[in-house]
Amino acid sequence: MSGKPAPAAPGARELTVRGVVIGGLITLVFTAANVYLGLKVGLTFATSIPAAVISMAILRSFRDHSVVENNIVQTIASAAGTLSAIIFVLPGLVMIGWWTGFPYWETALVTALGGVLGVMYSIPLRRALVTGSDLPFPEGVAAAEVLRVGDSAEGEEENRRGLLVIIVGGLASAGFALLAAMKVVAGSIERTFRVGSGGSMVSASLSLALIGVGHLVGITVGIAMIVGLVISFGVMLPLRTAGQIPADGDLGDIVSGIFTSDVRFVGAGAMAVAAVWTLAKIALPIARGVKEALAATRARDEGAEVPVQERDLSMRMVIGVTLASMLPIGLLLWLFVQDTPIAHHAVGMVVVSILFVLLIGLAVAGVCGYMAGLIGASNSPISGVGILIVIAAALLIKVVHGAQAPGQGNALIAYTLFTAAVVFGVATISNDNLQDLKTGQLVGATPWKQQVALVIGVLFGSVIIPPVLQLLNTSFGFAGAPEATGNALAAPQAALLSSLAKGVFGGDLNWGLLGLGAAVGAVVVVIDEVLGRATRNRMHLPPLAVGMGMYLPMGLTLIIPVGAVAGLLYDRWAAGTADPESSKRLSTLAATGLIVGESLFGVALAGIVAAFGEEEPLAVVGPGFTTASEVLGALVFAGATIGLYLWVKRLSVRATARAGA
């Protein structure tokens, strides 16, 4: 597909009321799904392509629809769905006991303000990274291809097929999740074992959503996560538990406890190094691109003719909104510390926090935007960047606050997380926005209209995220938080970030473990660079993915590489068909359906748990059925996965045959 812009038809409808409404409705689904998935496994999925498919299926009933109007719908849904990554920070406030729930307006405002800043920061970066670079933007290009094909006359049938596979994938994953909730099949399988004088574990979450995640992130990330798993569970965990397991001790509790307290920080160090390396590589290109963008804006202000496809929101508006947003951010931070043990330091801390948001936010926007362009929004280093944000904010606030008096620790940790949440909103949105703007460039959209749509998407997401978070907190809670249930959601990133902040202020952060992880990360960075150059960028070992494999529990990551292998095998088959791109697109949509179906069932289950006040209200069998449920779970899980891929292959073959007839 050509990377050149394709101007939309003259007079084509673009930013319309119906497009905004449809985008908002799709947002309800994908934001809820992403919130649940992120809290469960620490990953979110890109919503652009499925949103585009659903949008086209709806807008086809209107005679005057256009490809750029569809683009607006997917932009709104994509921005809101991506903003849900704010959950990587905010649950930490519940985990440390500062919040008992998610106050609606505080949660909504911190999410909205960070998101709007992310949109503003991404506008000057558009020329630097989208139109003025050769970054591939894989997901943005794929979304543009879907929009182009769907807008053509022959695309109607493909849209119907795409919507069908999303629905079937969703029903399959939701159905399996329902059986797991009923305890008829096991939702996970775990075994702990001794390794010399230490121990380790192997576990797998029987989650069809994770198969979908693996398919979408691809084999390169899948292999990197396996490498991370081997480092943590094959090397680090046996070493850290050596001599720590008494003969009469509970092996499972000891092994899982040492993984949580020790091994995950090694992974955090690896992710931090990967994020710093990324920033170092892209600092000069971004600075040069921003300088060129400002020069182009000045030329337009002086009367130079600029094509419609190059008209952004004015830099005056961008700068004005950015500076104006500092007032509500400052007020929000000020109110956050009132009536707390650190209120007497409020002025200094709020001023420093505002400067932190302004300056670090811009750097973060550049890093995440560049990585989205390089490897896609789904694989961008949000987690690694979050680690750097929290550590930097904690160290800065610690310096400003000065000596810590008894009883102030929790307040300082909470304030750090709240400040970091604003910058994290910048990171999540700039990560997604440039991908969407690339899609818009390829289909001939008007940038300023799309940028308005991005702000609308942020506002939609900010309205939806707080009640979903509150529902999940009420129903399940978060692992490690007071009064968490046995089914508590892991919220892995929030747990890590709150632990890092706690370690900085408590003075007990194990810098040795972080340093060890940093050393591992540095080695992986070198391997990745050498591998990339030796194979002319055909092969890589993404350091952040290795770090994620090291940090996340095996139960949440082992199935992801399985999905990546399934996707690889399918794509190899699809490459030999008459229409490889169409065949691959069907499997991508099926994988998306797997994620959406299970995630939405998780949100529905949260409502049932809240209504009945029981941890397992749908269970129909007792603990005595555990062994049988594990066997049944493995068989049904494997059968559902294989069956879905075979069905998608048959559907693709029939579609190709009809097209060639």
Side-chain angles (χ1 to χ4, degrees):
M1 186 179 87
S2 171
K4 296 180 180 179
R13 294 166 65 92
E14 190 167 0
L15 185 59
T16 63
V17 172
R18 72 186 180 200
V20 170
V21 171
I22 294 170
L25 292 174
I26 297 174
T27 288
L28 287 169
V29 175
F30 287 139
T31 301
N34 253 338
V35 168
Y36 177 80
L37 185 70
L39 291 173
K40 181 180 180 181
V41 303
L43 296 168
T44 56
F45 66 100
T47 57
S48 296
I49 292 176
V53 170
I54 295 171
S55 165
M56 288 184 292
I58 296 172
L59 283 177
R60 276 200 172 274
S61 60
F62 297 92
R63 186 174 54 187
D64 55 350
H65 68 87
S66 69
V67 66
V68 288
E69 186 181 14
N70 274 312
N71 178 58
I72 289 293
V73 175
Q74 73 85 17
T75 296
I76 291 172
S78 175
T82 302
L83 187 62
S84 59
I86 195 75
I87 58 166
F88 291 169
V89 181
L90 287 180
L93 293 167
V94 175
M95 290 176 158
I96 65 172
W98 189 259
W99 281 356
T100 56
F102 294 91
Y104 184 86
W105 287 111
E106 283 180 83
T107 305
L109 284 173
V110 74
T111 305
L113 289 167
V116 170
L117 265 183
V119 176
M120 294 301 111
Y121 281 150
S122 68
I123 290 171
L125 292 174
R126 187 185 74 86
R127 288 178 182 270
L129 300 179
V130 175
T131 62
S133 78
D134 57 357
L135 289 171
F137 284 98
E139 291 169 1
V141 172
E145 177 68 4
V146 169
L147 288 169
R148 284 177 170 176
V149 171
D151 192 60
S152 63
E154 60 270 19
E156 186 172 356
E157 180 62 30
E158 184 167 349
N159 283 343
R160 283 198 289 266
R161 284 197 303 274
L163 191 57
L164 175 64
V165 296
I166 289 177
I167 292 172
V168 170
L171 290 174
S173 62
F176 187 88
L178 173 60
L179 292 176
M182 296 169 66
K183 301 299 179 181
V184 174
V185 302
S188 62
I189 299 175
E190 179 178 309
R191 296 292 185 270
T192 310
F193 52 89
R194 286 186 174 271
V195 180
S197 62
S200 189
M201 63 186 350
V202 59
S203 58
S205 176
L206 301 182
S207 164
L208 289 172
L210 295 182
I211 292 291
V213 170
H215 184 112
L216 295 180
V217 300
I219 192 63
T220 298
V221 172
I223 291 173
M225 294 188 85
I226 287 291
V227 171
L229 285 173
V230 171
I231 293 173
S232 281
F233 293 90
V235 180
M236 295 293 176
L237 193 53
L239 288 176
R240 299 297 299 182
T241 55
Q244 303 294 315
I245 305 174
D248 57 347
D250 188 315
L251 181 62
D253 286 346
I254 294 172
V255 169
S256 61
I258 290 179
F259 171 78
T260 300
S261 63
D262 292 8
V263 176
R264 68 176 186 174
F265 283 99
V266 181
M271 287 193 287
V273 164
V276 171
W277 175 248
T278 300
L279 179 60
K281 286 178 68 175
I282 68 173
L284 286 177
I286 287 179
R288 186 168 55 249
V290 170
K291 182 179 178 181
E292 292 171 357
L294 291 172
T297 300
R298 283 194 299 272
R300 180 184 170 190
D301 290 343
E302 292 168 2
E305 185 64 28
V306 177
V308 172
Q309 285 76 26
E310 292 300 326
R311 295 178 185 172
D312 296 286
L313 289 173
S314 74
M315 286 301 296
R316 290 189 188 89
M317 179 175 290
V318 171
I319 294 171
V321 171
T322 299
L323 295 178
S325 66
M326 294 302 109
L327 294 175
I329 287 173
L331 179 60
L332 202 58
L333 292 170
W334 172 272
L335 293 174
F336 188 83
V337 296
Q338 295 308 298
D339 301 320
T340 72
I342 58 173
H344 57 290
H345 286 287
V347 174
M349 291 196 305
V350 168
V351 169
V352 168
S353 295
I354 288 174
L355 293 174
F356 183 81
V357 169
L358 267 174
L359 300 177
I360 300 301
L362 182 58
V364 161
V367 171
C368 294
Y370 182 89
M371 288 302 292
L374 188 64
I375 58 174
S378 299
N379 302 325
S380 199
I382 295 295
S383 298
V385 169
I387 291 168
L388 294 178
I389 290 170
V390 168
I391 291 178
L395 290 172
L396 191 61
I397 291 167
K398 187 175 184 179
V399 169
V400 173
H401 180 272
Q404 180 180 321
Q408 292 182 331
N410 236 26
L412 288 168
I413 295 166
Y415 182 78
T416 298
L417 293 175
F418 201 65
T419 300
V422 180
V423 183
F424 211 80
V426 174
T428 61
I429 285 300
S430 57
N431 178 49
D432 175 75
N433 282 4
L434 291 165
Q435 199 79 250
D436 288 331
L437 291 170
K438 181 65 176 182
T439 301
Q441 179 209 16
L442 293 175
V443 300
T446 308
W448 75 262
K449 292 181 180 179
Q450 197 171 5
Q451 289 151 7
V452 170
L454 288 166
V455 172
I456 292 171
V458 165
L459 298 179
F460 273 136
S462 302
V463 169
I464 295 165
I465 288 170
V468 176
L469 275 173
Q470 182 60 32
L471 174 62
L472 295 175
N473 178 54
T474 303
S475 304
F476 302 127
F478 306 115
E483 301 180 4
T485 71
N487 292 326
L489 297 166
Q493 272 86 349
L496 170 62
L497 297 181
S498 57
S499 296
L500 290 173
K502 191 179 299 183
V504 170
F505 288 109
D508 58 353
L509 183 62
N510 195 327
W511 292 100
L513 290 176
L514 287 173
L516 176 60
V520 172
V523 171
V524 175
V525 165
V526 171
I527 293 173
D528 179 50
E529 290 293 315
V530 171
L531 190 61
R533 293 178 184 179
T535 62
R536 296 183 180 180
N537 287 324
R538 289 194 302 272
M539 297 178 64
H540 279 282
L541 185 67
L544 274 163
V546 174
M548 288 287 286
M550 293 169 62
Y551 168 70
L552 291 174
M554 183 185 289
L556 301 179
T557 53
L558 186 60
I559 299 299
I560 293 175
V562 174
V565 171
L568 174 68
L569 295 175
Y570 180 93
D571 286 349
R572 285 183 175 176
W573 169 83
T577 63
D579 190 350
E581 291 305 316
S582 178
S583 297
K584 291 179 182 178
R585 196 154 46 238
L586 275 184
S587 67
T588 297
L589 294 173
T592 302
L594 290 176
I595 296 170
V596 171
E598 182 177 317
S599 299
L600 291 183
F601 176 79
V603 174
L605 179 61
I608 296 171
V609 169
F612 284 86
E614 301 175 15
E615 285 189 29
E616 298 174 347
L618 300 182
V620 296
V621 294
F625 196 69
T626 299
T627 301
S629 73
E630 289 182 345
V631 174
L632 281 174
L635 292 174
V636 175
F637 179 77
T641 302
I642 295 170
L644 181 67
Y645 274 98
L646 290 177
W647 175 74
V648 173
K649 284 175 70 172
R650 286 196 298 271
L651 188 65
S652 178
V653 168
R654 287 199 298 269
T656 303
R658 281 197 297 269

